[in-house]
Amino acid sequence: MGGSLGKAELALLDHGVRWWSDQGGAPVSYTTLDVPLHDGDGSHIHTVEYFSKGGEKGAKRAPLVCLHGYGFGTGLYFSTMPSIVGRWGGRVFALDSLGCGLSSRPRWRLAQGESADVAEVEEFFVGGLERWRKSMKIDRMVLLGHSIGGYLAVAYAERYPQHVDRLILASPV
């Protein structure tokens, strides 16, 4: 998984889980997976799903899907996810956006800077999230977005309101 970047991610995630346990937190584990987007080019979104003992009781609750900010990845949430998962009572995910972290890095074919079409750029990221949702067979989710992830969470909610239970915006752009 991702060579040295994958090893660094696992070390960071393990550190967060150990820290939480050392603080007396309930046992937490996680798994990493590369979710295929079924878009014909083999793209995937790297995903970390967190689990806690007793989390089954809230399995009916909409999953919490966390989007990172600019220049980050799933590791942004390494120290917060262990505490969130025990309280959430449902599935909890952190995603690497397309082109970030351990997700696929499709060739950028869109314009850049001031000549970029905002709708096309939004669709690149929002479309990836929608394909991820379909691949995961999630009907409705709660989106938590930090920084540019907050912007993308709002853009997603505007396009696919039927799949968003709630938005949580943490220092959104």
Side-chain angles (χ1 to χ4, degrees), residues 36-103:
L37 299 185
H38 306 294
D39 54 8
D41 69 0
S43 293
H44 68 272
I45 289 184
H46 182 69
T47 304
V48 180
E49 183 173 7
Y50 286 83
F51 306 93
S52 71
K53 294 197 180 205
E56 308 79 34
K57 67 180 180 277
K60 298 290 184 204
R61 189 171 196 179
L64 176 64
V65 177
C66 302
L67 308 176
H68 61 80
Y70 180 76
F72 285 100
T74 59
L76 172 69
Y77 297 107
F78 85 98
S79 66
T80 55
M81 281 303 178
S83 63
I84 290 171
V85 70
R87 292 178 176 91
W88 186 253
R91 297 175 81 185
V92 178
F93 301 95
L95 311 182
D96 281 339
S97 294
L98 280 175
C100 299
L102 293 168
S103 285

Side-chain angles (χ1 to χ4, degrees), residues 102-144:
L102 293 168
S103 285
S104 292
R105 297 175 184 266
R107 185 169 180 81
W108 188 258
R109 300 185 188 284
L110 303 175
Q112 299 176 17
E114 292 179 14
S115 61
D117 181 314
V118 173
E120 286 180 342
V121 174
E122 284 180 0
E123 181 53 34
F124 176 84
F125 293 103
V126 168
L129 178 57
E130 174 60 5
R131 291 189 306 277
W132 176 88
R133 182 200 63 77
K134 286 178 181 177
S135 196
M136 294 295 291
K137 298 177 174 46
I138 294 173
D139 182 46
R140 292 179 59 79
M141 58 189 160
V142 173
L143 282 177
L144 182 153

